[in-house]
């Protein structure tokens, strides 16, 4: 059984994230979505709310498990015997950060591979920060987030 960990802030989860997970399921038997506490990012939703939205999005999917974490990612991967860290790439702008992260994780544990997938073209411009910003100004982002997120966005409550 091959397990991958998909870490992120998921503030909130978007259809870009969902697409990454679906691609990961073609490569791995199980995916653990690890919702990082990320207090330094001052998230809009607290970690429990973010985890609840992830769980609601993948309800009934037996190969997907979600949890929250605030420690070192490689320790989490080791605990769950994950062989890979799954990440998504959008534009070249993601590369620099992802490259550093992958290199650092490899330094910490050379046995865990970082695997990158690209989401569908229509989601390449989708980011949680855009979702937060646009919805806070009353913009309609319903087509870009899962159902479980819509009701929690400012414009969704309208
Ligand atoms: P982090 O704070 O770890 O960057 P995010 O929730 O912003 O957390 O992103 C988690 C991962 O998902 C990152 O690898 C990011 O590049 C990827 N990702 C986010 N949105 C998309 C998207 N629309 N298409 C492809 N990958 C994405």
């Amino acid at each position: 059984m091959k397990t991958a960990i998909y870490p992120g802030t998921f503030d909130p989860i978007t259809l870009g994230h969902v697409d990454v997970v679906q691609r990961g399921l073609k490569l791995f038997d199980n995916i653990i979505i690890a919702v990082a506490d990320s207090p330094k990012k001052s998230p809009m939703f607290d970690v429990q709310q973010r985890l609840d939205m992830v769980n609601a999005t993948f309800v009934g999917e037996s190969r997907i498990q979600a949890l929250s974490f605030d420690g070192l990612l490689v320790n989490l991967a080791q605990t769950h015997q994950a062989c890979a860290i799954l990440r998504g790439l959008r534009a070249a702008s993601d590369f620099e950060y992802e490259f550093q992260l992958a290199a650092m994780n490899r330094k910490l544990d050379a046995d865990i591979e970082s695997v990158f997938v690209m989401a569908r073209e229509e989601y390449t411009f989708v980011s949680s920060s855009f979702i937060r910003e646009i919805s806070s100004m009353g913009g309609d982002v319903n087509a870009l987030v899962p159902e479980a997120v819509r009701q929690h966005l400012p414009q969704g409550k309208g």
Side-chain angles (χ1 to χ4, degrees), residues 6-11 14 16-17 20 38 41 87-90 94 97-98 117-119 123-124 126-128:
Y6 180 27
T9 307
F10 303 102
D11 185 36
T14 71
H17 292 122
V20 168
S38 302
K41 290 195 167 182
R87 296 283 289 180
L89 279 178
R90 284 161 293 196
D94 279 340
Y97 175 71
E98 295 294 338
V117 297
M118 289 190 305
Y123 299 138
T124 51
V126 178
S127 66
S128 298

Side-chain angles (χ1 to χ4, degrees), residues 75-97:
N75 290 349
L76 189 72
Q78 287 158 357
T79 305
H80 292 272
Q81 285 157 355
C83 62
I85 294 168
L86 177 67
R87 296 283 289 180
L89 279 178
R90 284 161 293 196
S93 51
D94 279 340
F95 181 78
E96 190 82 15
Y97 175 71

Side-chain angles (χ1 to χ4, degrees), residues 6 13-21 119-120 123-124 126 144-146:
Y6 180 27
I13 184 167
T14 71
L15 291 185
H17 292 122
V18 173
D19 189 294
V20 168
V21 171
R120 276 162 63 168
Y123 299 138
T124 51
V126 178
L144 305 175
V145 294

